[in-house]
Amino acid sequence: MAGIWPDDIRCVALITFDVDGITSWLNRNPDFINYPSLLSMAEYGPSVATPRILDILDAQGIPGSFYIPGYVAETHPDLVREIAGRGHEVAHHGYIHEPPATMTPEKEEEVLVKGISILGELTGDAPVGYRSPSWELSPVSLDLLAKHNFQYDSSLMGDDAPYLVQGGDPPRNLVELPIHWLLDDAPHFAYAPSANRLGPMRNPDEVFESWAAEFRGMYRYGRCFNLTMHPQYIGRPGRLLMLERLIEYIKTFPGVRFMRSVDVATMWEKGA
């Protein structure tokens, strides 16, 4: 055992994607339904970028985890089946990208159940992983995840390796796979003037250096590199080349294991 991981694993790498499509914009402002240019940029994510991402993962021989809102799954059922059919994880990400902290407990549970049904019907298995839209849980989110048999959450930032959280009545453990804004493509690339998102739109080489530096730190401390990307942002051709380069760079480090989030959660449960 090397550090916190079993066998000869020194560091775990999670390559994950939030396939928001148009949902994040519509949840932000329903009037954006009347902004065809904005929505076309968002639709590029599931329609054009995600198939390319799947090909990259296949070529690199690594698995990924895809967090998919129910609405996107309903409107792109073949894509969801393709993701699952290629061996990647399909996990829960709301219905129309509803941040749990903005909903009543009853509405939050309704959205959770709806997403479980949609994803389960398309893949044959109910999702066991959850990532909250906008990365903000509500006070009852963990209780609802436990009630509906989720294995893990990936919305909190309390560590840089998996840890246990509790929810439900009686309480039970869920695995938390922590995230961080530093390892999210949106702060680096999101730019949509009509939606008042005026981010820096950074050069892919800058972002590569930022993510590579964080990976080196995670590797040094033997932790979990949990990279979150959105196909509508990372999926531009020049940025995909950067992602390929990052994956190849990480592969040069001995003892790194690329895994799906659900498999890390299972491994952590066994060692907890």
Side-chain angles (χ1 to χ4, degrees), residues 5 12 14 16 65 67 89 129-131 151-165 174-180 224 226 228 260-266 268:
W5 304 108
V12 164
L14 306 181
T16 77
S65 292
Y67 298 84
E89 177 186 5
Y130 178 81
R131 176 173 286 163
Q151 182 180 12
Y152 78 86
D153 171 64
S154 184
S155 312
L156 300 175
M157 306 185 193
D159 206 330
D160 47 28
Y163 59 100
L164 297 179
V165 293
L174 293 91
V175 178
E176 180 62 37
L177 301 178
I179 38 78
H180 194 274
C224 180
N226 190 356
T228 300
R260 302 184 306 173
S261 299
V262 62
D263 298 322
V264 175
T266 298
W268 198 260

Side-chain angles (χ1 to χ4, degrees), residues 16-259:
T16 77
F17 302 90
D18 293 0
V19 191
D20 294 344
I22 67 174
T23 64
S24 59
W25 299 110
L26 293 181
N27 184 267
R28 185 182 298 268
N29 183 349
D31 289 342
F32 287 158
I33 193 68
N34 299 313
Y35 288 47
S37 294
L38 175 67
L39 297 189
S40 68
M41 181 182 72
E43 182 57 34
Y44 177 95
S47 293
V48 178
T50 303
R52 291 176 179 169
I53 288 167
L54 291 172
D55 288 343
I56 287 172
L57 296 178
D58 279 357
Q60 293 291 337
I62 64 173
S65 292
F66 292 77
Y67 298 84
I68 306 177
Y71 177 87
V72 174
E74 283 182 328
T75 53
H76 299 81
D78 290 342
L79 178 65
V80 175
R81 295 187 190 100
E82 180 76 8
I83 291 169
R86 294 205 198 187
H88 305 295
E89 177 186 5
V90 172
H92 200 301
H93 197 50
Y95 180 72
I96 304 186
H97 207 267
E98 306 91 341
T102 67
M103 295 184 284
T104 65
E106 294 76 18
K107 182 64 176 178
E108 183 177 354
E109 184 167 23
E110 177 186 327
V111 168
L112 193 66
V113 170
K114 189 172 186 178
I116 292 169
S117 175
I118 293 166
L119 297 178
E121 183 175 341
L122 289 171
T123 67
D125 295 297
V128 297
Y130 178 81
R131 176 173 286 163
S132 63
S134 299
W135 284 358
E136 194 57 71
L137 297 175
S138 80
V140 302
S141 294
L142 295 178
D143 293 330
L144 293 175
L145 294 178
K147 176 181 177 180
H148 292 282
N149 300 313
F150 281 82
Q151 182 180 12
Y152 78 86
D153 171 64
S154 184
S155 312
L156 300 175
M157 306 185 193
D159 206 330
D160 47 28
Y163 59 100
L164 297 179
V165 293
Q166 286 196 329
D169 183 19
R172 71 171 180 87
N173 288 335
L174 293 91
V175 178
E176 180 62 37
L177 301 178
I179 38 78
H180 194 274
W181 294 109
L182 175 63
L183 291 175
D184 182 348
D185 61 350
H188 301 295
F189 294 137
Y191 186 84
S194 60
N196 200 33
R197 288 294 300 270
L198 303 174
M201 196 146 53
R202 295 175 62 195
N203 184 299
D205 289 339
E206 294 180 84
V207 180
F208 173 88
E209 293 300 332
S210 177
W211 288 350
E214 187 69 358
F215 170 75
R216 290 192 296 270
M218 294 290 193
Y219 185 81
R220 164 65 176 79
Y221 289 104
R223 312 301 276 181
C224 180
F225 181 80
N226 190 356
L227 183 62
T228 300
M229 293 165 286
H230 302 76
Q232 62 183 284
Y233 302 137
I234 196 66
R236 301 302 307 181
R239 297 169 185 171
L240 285 180
L241 295 181
M242 180 271 286
L243 176 59
E244 284 185 304
R245 182 158 61 105
L246 180 69
I247 292 169
E248 290 165 358
Y249 175 73
I250 292 173
K251 284 182 172 181
T252 67
F253 289 75
V256 176
R257 180 79 60 84
F258 287 90
M259 300 180 70

